[in-house]
Amino acid sequence: MKLSDDEFTLLQGGGGSFAVKVAGAGLSFGSQVALARILGAESFGVYVYALNCAKIAVLIGTLGFSTASVRFVAEYISNEKWSLLKEYLRYSRRTTFILSIVVAVVFGTGAFLIYAPKNPEQAWTFAIAAVVIPLSVQMKVGSAELRGLKHVVRARLPKSVALPSVLVVAVFLSGGVLGLSPTGVVGMSGYVIAVAGAMGLIDWFRTRSLPARVAATGGYSMKGRRAYWLKTARDMVLIAGFNMILFRADTIMVGALVNPEAAGIYNVGSKIAHLLLFGLIAVNTILSPIASDLFSSGRTSELRNIVTRGAQASLAFSVVFIFCLLIFQNQVLKLFGEGFIEAKLAMWILVGGQLVNAAVGPAVVLLNMTGNQRTSAWILGGTSVVNISLNLFLIPLFGIEGAALSTAISLVIWNSLSVWFSKKRIDILPIPI
């Protein structure tokens, strides 16, 4: 069967994205192993707890533009609206920069005041994590712009490859060269250095990737456009926020309801289970701008074919991953240290939930890129409420296994509703058949 141009782009772009993702996942996994061994379970838990809280703050700082930019950049380039694209980029970058600074100050000050009296290491780890916020916001917004430009590999390379590589080197040198004690503070300081390098690389890539016509074009009146951009970004930040809750509330709530060490152990199981989504992430990264382009031009039949192929590729990778994990599960967990073997049951519960996510995951991107982001936000919002409620009930009863079960149930609900609404709203059933 001959592939259409967009199907070929999906295959080619998805392949490049997948290659970067595989390389990045290996480096990210290796960095987690190295940090867990260097810091120890307790300090690693403090580091993980603070970083996950900071990532919630990063979400607020992006104001939804880290997702909206994929849609608007792809749309304006497709329709050759160069002046409008120029003004959109200027507005989104300025807005997110100012907001991220404000969020960082509030986050760092508040966290330090809360934790300083009882746990100095945790207080300083959170304070340093505040520096991560504006750096990560600019990295995410720049990456979204590159994805909208269909430069998928350039969008993924800094975060997936450069960041974990620099992180491991920075933490290793802090102990081996500077002689610093392995604490959460050291781990977070290394992360600040790493994310600063990744942000710089993203900025370098996007400066060289924008079409020359964008810089050469004149200004465009933003009258009436700011409200539209903000409205769309608001819906997107709700989606991203609920998504963040779905994938990070469990770790944060384990840290709050049990202890940071348990959060570190649970995080290991969660990270391993998340590797199952490699295929889905590669597909969704390139599918986002293509879906926006095809839908805006009324090519629904082509979009339906693209989505089906993407779901098939995602599911195929997931099945292979589960088979390999069955064989090497103990060896993988012991890489982090003997204490992390406790994450095994939680890991498998999460794998079950993520398998459903991988099979029908394109449904979420499909809704977001076809003007149905508000529906997607409502679905995620309801699912997030369920997730938090289940965590509050099950974590005190079953510990990290309760958190895993809460997340797995929420994933099934989220994806089932997304598939149903995709069929109802745009007549596309995003399943791998």
Side-chain angles (χ1 to χ4, degrees):
M1 181 183 293
K2 185 178 180 180
L3 297 178
S4 69
D5 290 342
D6 284 307
E7 288 174 331
F8 180 75
T9 300
L10 176 66
L11 181 63
Q12 185 182 50
S17 175
F18 184 76
V20 173
K21 185 65 180 175
V22 169
L27 290 167
S28 180
F29 190 78
S31 71
Q32 293 291 302
V33 171
L35 284 173
R37 286 188 168 276
I38 293 171
L39 302 180
E42 184 176 352
S43 289
F44 180 70
V46 171
Y47 162 80
V48 166
Y49 184 37
L51 185 58
N52 276 278
C53 289
K55 287 182 177 180
I56 296 290
V58 168
L59 171 68
I60 298 171
T62 63
L63 199 61
F65 285 106
S66 60
T67 305
S69 289
V70 179
R71 173 181 166 183
F72 287 127
V73 170
E75 179 182 328
Y76 293 155
I77 286 181
S78 176
N79 296 310
E80 298 188 355
K81 296 181 178 179
W82 307 113
S83 296
L84 191 55
L85 174 60
K86 182 177 183 178
E87 294 301 334
Y88 170 77
L89 293 175
R90 181 183 300 168
Y91 178 69
S92 61
R93 291 174 184 179
R94 182 175 65 245
T95 301
T96 53
F97 175 75
I98 294 172
L99 181 59
S100 65
I101 296 296
V102 174
V103 171
V105 171
V106 174
F107 176 89
T109 304
F112 190 82
L113 292 175
I114 291 171
Y115 292 113
K118 53 185 178 182
N119 191 327
E121 179 187 352
Q122 199 164 329
W124 281 108
T125 303
F126 268 86
I128 296 172
V131 182
V132 169
I133 296 169
L135 296 174
S136 292
V137 166
Q138 295 307 305
M139 179 180 70
K140 282 179 168 291
V141 172
S143 178
E145 293 172 11
L146 287 168
R147 288 170 59 198
L149 291 164
K150 298 183 182 179
H151 290 294
V152 182
V153 173
R154 290 184 177 186
R156 298 212 64 92
L157 193 64
K159 182 182 177 182
S160 298
V161 177
L163 195 155
S165 301
V166 175
L167 173 59
V168 172
V169 172
V171 174
F172 178 78
L173 290 178
S174 67
V177 177
L178 301 178
L180 300 176
S181 299
T183 63
V185 173
V186 169
M188 193 59 69
S189 298
Y191 192 87
V192 169
I193 295 171
V195 78
M199 186 208 71
L201 189 56
I202 282 281
D203 189 59
W204 189 76
F205 278 150
R206 70 179 176 182
T207 299
R208 285 154 180 77
S209 299
L210 277 174
R213 292 180 65 178
V214 177
T217 191
Y220 184 94
S221 174
M222 291 191 294
K223 184 178 181 181
R225 288 288 174 176
R226 287 183 177 180
Y228 174 61
W229 292 334
L230 280 174
K231 179 178 177 294
T232 303
R234 178 202 64 195
D235 293 338
M236 295 294 191
V237 80
L238 286 175
I239 293 168
F242 294 139
N243 191 61
M244 183 78 75
I245 289 173
L246 197 58
F247 286 103
R248 298 195 186 278
D250 47 3
T251 301
I252 293 173
M253 292 179 74
V254 168
L257 297 175
V258 185
N259 56 57
E261 183 176 351
I265 293 172
Y266 178 79
N267 183 72
V268 167
S270 179
K271 289 290 186 183
I272 295 173
H274 193 74
L275 296 177
L276 185 147
L277 298 181
F278 271 2
L280 176 64
I281 293 171
V283 167
N284 281 352
T285 299
I286 190 62
L287 179 62
S288 296
I290 290 178
S292 178
D293 187 8
L294 291 178
F295 184 77
S296 65
S297 57
R299 295 149 66 189
T300 307
S301 179
E302 290 182 51
L303 178 57
R304 185 179 292 109
N305 291 334
I306 289 286
V307 169
T308 299
R309 287 177 182 270
Q312 290 170 345
S314 175
L315 180 60
F317 175 84
S318 301
V319 172
V320 174
F321 172 82
I322 290 175
F323 178 76
C324 294
L325 187 59
L326 277 169
I327 299 173
F328 301 109
Q329 55 183 310
N330 289 330
Q331 293 91 326
V332 171
L333 286 167
K334 286 181 179 179
L335 285 173
F336 293 87
E338 291 294 333
F340 291 94
I341 201 72
E342 296 176 28
K344 183 190 289 187
L345 180 55
M347 176 189 74
W348 280 111
I349 294 171
L350 290 168
V351 165
Q354 295 291 13
L355 180 60
V356 175
N357 192 15
V360 299
V364 178
V365 166
L366 193 59
L367 288 172
N368 292 346
M369 293 296 119
T370 56
N372 291 285
Q373 65 272 3
R374 179 165 293 185
T375 298
S376 184
W378 278 109
I379 294 171
L380 265 174
T383 306
S384 298
V385 171
V386 171
N387 181 256
I388 292 174
S389 300
L390 287 173
N391 273 306
L392 285 171
F393 177 69
L394 294 176
I395 290 176
L397 293 177
F398 304 111
I400 63 174
E401 287 79 17
L405 184 59
S406 300
T407 298
I409 292 172
S410 301
L411 285 170
V412 172
I413 295 172
W414 174 42
N415 283 282
S416 299
L417 289 173
S418 296
V419 168
W420 190 81
F421 275 102
S422 292
K423 177 62 177 175
K424 181 180 179 181
R425 294 292 172 85
I426 52 181
D427 195 28
I428 294 179
L429 195 61
I431 57 176
I433 56 175

